[in-house]
Amino acid sequence: MKKMSHNILITGSPGSGKTTLVEKLLHQIPDKKGFITREVRQSGKRTGFEIVTPDGERKLLAGVGIDSPYRVSKYKVDVGGFETVLDRFFYVTDKDVLYIDEIGKMELFSGKFKKLVQLYLEADNLFIATIALKSTDDFIRDIKKRDDIDLFTIDRNNRDTMYRNLSATISQNNSTIK
């Protein structure tokens, strides 16, 4: 079996299960560093997105009520607030499994975020990330062209199989998983 790259990127359409897949994969990993991006809903309507850290801290990334010049669709992005959360993720130990959900339009307004992504891609650690399926952004296109990544496309039909295959492969190729 070919050894998987230490950089695993998962892409797919919105709602395909990218975040759920990453969360399931991370569940089996004791030492991890990174964050998940979650929808914020009020009265059943999506009003924004927040960053959730492994220790449960939540920080609003984007929302309809934010005052910001940075915008994706109807959501304005709080770049400064987002960057205050990022500082803790730059110190990496050898045993950390690194993860980011997601490398997407909102996050890319932050230069600090781009530096974190580069650090994680260059580290020898296992790095698991979700990345936008379609993008005209050069940063995302360049990441997808790298020789040291394995890019997986998830959809509603393959997500269960993808979890089983990635979970088994990660366990075989990473000594930090118990």
Side-chain angles (χ1 to χ4, degrees):
M1 175 189 282
K2 174 190 170 244
K3 185 163 174 73
M4 178 178 282
S5 169
H6 67 280
N7 294 319
I8 299 170
L9 302 181
I10 301 163
T11 193
S13 299
S16 61
K18 296 181 300 291
T19 299
T20 302
L21 174 61
V22 169
E23 288 180 311
K24 285 173 73 175
L25 292 170
L26 291 171
H27 183 73
Q28 64 180 316
I29 300 171
D31 299 307
K32 51 192 168 260
K33 183 167 285 192
F35 59 87
I36 297 290
T37 304
R38 291 218 174 277
E39 290 183 351
V40 176
R41 293 189 169 270
Q42 292 178 348
S43 303
K45 291 181 126 180
R46 185 170 65 194
T47 59
F49 297 88
E50 65 183 358
I51 300 302
V52 182
T53 66
D55 60 3
E57 180 183 351
R58 297 175 181 277
K59 181 69 176 174
L60 193 62
L61 169 64
V64 292
I66 292 175
D67 182 23
S68 171
Y70 305 103
R71 172 185 226 117
V72 175
S73 184
K74 65 181 180 181
Y75 306 103
K76 292 189 176 179
V77 182
D78 180 5
V79 174
F82 176 48
E83 289 185 341
T84 64
V85 175
L86 296 179
D87 288 334
R88 75 181 76 181
F89 300 115
F90 278 88
Y91 176 74
V92 175
T93 68
D94 290 345
K95 64 182 181 173
D96 291 329
V97 171
L98 310 173
Y99 68 99
I100 292 176
D101 171 53
E102 129 173 45
I103 303 169
K105 286 181 188 179
M106 291 180 190
E107 295 84 356
L108 292 180
F109 285 118
S110 167
K112 188 180 276 188
F113 174 76
K114 289 179 179 181
K115 288 178 183 174
L116 182 66
V117 171
Q118 290 290 73
L119 174 73
Y120 283 14
L121 286 165
E122 297 300 326
D124 290 331
N125 304 52
L126 176 61
F127 174 42
I128 303 169
T130 62
I131 192 164
L133 177 64
K134 296 177 183 177
S135 179
T136 58
D137 186 272
D138 289 339
F139 188 78
I140 289 178
R141 283 198 310 239
D142 290 346
I143 290 172
K144 287 181 176 181
K145 290 179 187 175
R146 290 175 63 116
D147 291 335
D148 63 348
I149 64 136
D150 287 317
L151 182 65
F152 298 91
T153 302
I154 188 173
D155 60 41
R156 292 174 190 241
N157 296 321
N158 73 358
R159 60 184 168 197
D160 293 334
T161 303
M162 185 163 300
Y163 168 72
R164 286 191 300 273
N165 293 343
L166 282 175
S167 180
T169 305
I170 289 169
S171 293
Q172 290 172 0
N173 289 290
N174 186 28
S175 61
T176 66
I177 297 175
K178 294 181 180 176

